[in-house]
Amino acid sequence: MLAEIEDLDKYRNCLPDRMIPFFEAAIKNYHYTKEALKEFEKPVLDLKKIGALMNGHHEVLRDLLKITVPRIDAMVNAALKAGAYGAKIVGSGGGGSIVVIADPKNEDAVIKAILDAGAQEAYAVNVDPGVRIINNIEI
């Protein structure tokens, strides 16, 4: 049986205080991943729900695992204030990059907000259909 968010209080007393944030982070990240997988299996994504899950994951990384930095958090907050559905740090933590999901009609405002918050670069990307296998034929 895997622990769920509702189980946090049940197991909290079984751990040393210093380990509780890591336990809570693991449980919450597992929950967000399961919920995102359910959403990605649907024929049409609910971008607002994906955004909310991204925000929850960023909160775990920021508040429990302490792997964000103020500059990244400023960019995340600016993107959300400009109308993005969700934003989070990506990579190995401690700074670097964020990813944001937003309605295309808010794209320019979100990009401007991220740049104004101190980003060196910010740009829109398109979703790729994924990995493809191309057979190369030698002649």
Side-chain angles (χ1 to χ4, degrees):
M1 180 180 139
L2 297 171
E4 301 289 341
I5 287 181
E6 309 81 56
D7 298 327
L8 283 171
D9 288 333
K10 181 166 58 171
Y11 294 113
R12 198 177 298 271
N13 293 332
C14 300
L15 297 167
D17 287 346
R18 65 181 174 78
M19 296 305 294
I20 291 171
F22 300 104
F23 174 69
E24 186 174 343
I27 298 301
K28 287 183 174 181
N29 284 340
Y30 174 67
H31 169 78
Y32 296 136
T33 301
K34 283 190 324 184
E35 292 301 309
L37 180 58
K38 285 183 208 173
E39 195 58 40
F40 279 109
E41 290 174 340
K42 295 178 181 177
V44 177
L45 290 177
D46 180 341
L47 297 182
K48 289 181 181 177
K49 183 166 184 177
I50 294 295
L53 294 168
M54 290 171 65
N55 293 335
H57 186 241
H58 184 77
E59 289 170 10
V60 167
L61 298 173
R62 182 191 64 218
D63 301 338
L64 296 173
L65 298 180
K66 312 288 187 203
I67 63 168
T68 66
V69 294
R71 187 171 176 186
I72 289 288
D73 289 332
M75 288 181 241
V76 165
N77 292 337
L80 295 173
K81 189 174 179 182
Y85 298 139
K88 65 180 287 305
I89 190 171
V90 294
S92 59
S97 300
I98 66 171
V99 64
V100 176
I101 190 168
D103 188 310
K105 71 179 182 214
N106 293 337
E107 188 174 281
D108 291 337
V110 170
I111 289 171
K112 182 180 181 326
I114 293 168
L115 290 169
D116 290 348
Q120 292 178 355
E121 297 281 339
Y123 48 87
V125 297
N126 296 314
V127 176
D128 189 81
V131 175
R132 294 167 294 286
I133 298 174
I134 300 172
N135 291 323
N136 291 328
I137 301 173
E138 289 187 37
I139 299 178

